[in-house]
Each structure stands twice: as C-alpha cells, then as structure tokens.
Amino acid sequence: MSAEPAEPSRRPARDRIFETARDMFYRRGIRAVGVESIAAEAGATKMSLYRNFPSKDQLVAEVLREQSREGWAWWDEVVAAFDTPREKLEGLFEAFANKSSGEEAQGCALCNAAVELHEPDHPAFLVAQEHKRETHRRLIEMSRAAGAQDDELGDGLMLLLEGSYMARVTLSNDGPARMLPRTARALIREYLDQ
C-alpha cells in the first residue's frame, strides 16, 4: 500500500522549517531556540531539519542571508523613489523610522545576531558583520554623493541608525528612536549646508 499523497497546499518541510526558524530567532533570540522546538513548531522532524540544514549555525546564517537580501531590495526600492542624493539620504532615514516602528519592533535581526553570536568565526556573525559593513559603505557613498567632503557624515549616520535600533528595543517606539528622521536631517544639514 502506498503512502497518502501530501496535501497540495502544504509547503515543503524545508520552507516550513526556514520560516519558523526565522520567526523564532527574531522573536525569542537565536540561542534561546533549539532545533527540537523549531522542528516541532514547523510540523517537521529533527531529522528533516538536519536533512535540509547541516547545523543550527548554518540555518541561522541562511536566515540572516535572506534577511540581508530582503533588506537590500527594500533599501534600493526606497532610494529609487527620490531624485537627489540628499533626498535619498533623508528619505532613507524616514523610511527606516516607519519600517522599524512596526515589523522591526524587536530591532534589527542582523544587529541582534551580531550581539548574540559575537564569536568572530561564527557563520551567522560573519553574515551580520558583512551586512553592517555594506550598510556603512552605502551610507558613506550616499553621503559623498550628496556632497560630504569625507566619511564623517556616513559614520555619524551609521551610528545614528544602529543606535535607533537599540533605543527602539530598550525604550520602545515612544522613546528616542522616534527622533531618527529629524536627527538624521540635522546631521545631514550640519555636514552639507556649510
């Protein structure tokens, strides 16, 4: 007798595991979530998890790579809506404030991972580190395109962005993070309107 065919609407185990892990890592923390709980929540087995992902560390790294790709697609879409380099910078920080007040209420998933997995050779830490290096590079590039004479504006905007994520986590949306767009505009004025 053959096995019953799978329900056509049921997603493959790999997809269920990946999506479940992504949500659980973000909501509960990477170290707080074990493979058994991911498998159970996804309606899969631990063996199925390991068939699709060689280790929890690799699963975390893959989740972060996907979040990074989505982040860059979002970033590119945001800046494409503006004409001048300065408008792109200001619009980006307005968009960050709007985005992080909702779905990013737990902070930046890549920041959280870097703090939690700070071992320099952890595969997920390396993904988070590369994402943050690229964020910094892009902010410097955008600042220079807007007229900054050196890297200081990009450095300041990076600190402001990263600090806003932590302030949102620790002090909520009503705290200092609500000042992100206004403070970014003030910093941009300081460096560009001279």
Side-chain angles (χ1 to χ4, degrees):
M1 180 180 252
S2 64
E4 298 252 343
E7 294 177 35
S9 62
R10 188 159 167 96
R11 295 183 330 270
R14 185 190 190 288
D15 294 347
R16 294 191 323 271
I17 291 165
F18 183 86
E19 291 166 19
T20 299
R22 178 179 171 147
D23 180 65
M24 292 177 79
F25 292 153
Y26 183 68
R27 299 285 169 213
R28 299 183 196 169
I30 294 165
R31 295 220 193 265
V33 174
V35 293
E36 295 87 359
S37 60
I38 294 168
E41 187 81 19
T45 64
K46 192 171 159 184
M47 183 186 296
S48 180
L49 187 148
Y50 284 123
R51 260 197 311 267
N52 287 285
F53 304 96
S55 68
K56 179 183 171 186
D57 289 349
Q58 291 302 322
L59 173 57
V60 176
E62 193 162 333
V63 164
L64 293 179
R65 275 191 289 278
E66 179 67 17
Q67 289 170 315
S68 180
R69 282 190 294 271
E70 290 171 3
W72 297 132
W74 174 86
W75 178 305
D76 293 342
E77 183 179 324
V78 167
V79 298
F82 298 94
D83 295 324
T84 70
R86 183 172 181 157
E87 288 172 342
K88 290 177 187 296
L89 269 178
E90 291 174 351
L92 182 64
F93 277 81
E94 188 72 46
F96 269 121
N98 292 335
K99 182 179 187 203
S100 64
S101 65
E103 70 178 272
E104 295 289 342
Q106 298 293 320
C108 169
L110 290 127
C111 287
N112 296 348
V115 169
E116 202 173 344
L117 308 169
H118 53 82
E119 298 91 358
D121 60 344
H122 192 290
F125 175 82
L126 295 172
V127 173
Q129 184 180 54
E130 180 55 35
H131 181 87
K132 294 305 175 176
R133 284 184 175 150
E134 177 62 10
T135 301
H136 187 219
R137 187 199 68 74
R138 285 179 178 221
L139 288 172
I140 287 173
E141 180 180 77
M142 291 175 72
S143 297
R144 291 235 181 206
Q149 300 302 306
D150 55 33
D151 294 349
E152 286 186 8
L153 175 56
D155 291 345
L157 291 171
M158 182 71 181
L159 287 173
L160 180 61
L161 179 60
E162 296 301 294
S164 74
Y165 283 127
M166 187 52 65
R168 194 167 308 283
V169 170
T170 57
L171 301 171
S172 81
N173 292 335
D174 299 339
R178 76 186 189 293
M179 296 296 294
L180 178 62
R182 185 175 177 183
T183 307
R185 285 191 303 273
L187 192 59
I188 291 165
R189 277 195 307 275
E190 176 69 24
Y191 280 88
L192 301 185
D193 295 348
Q194 298 181 19

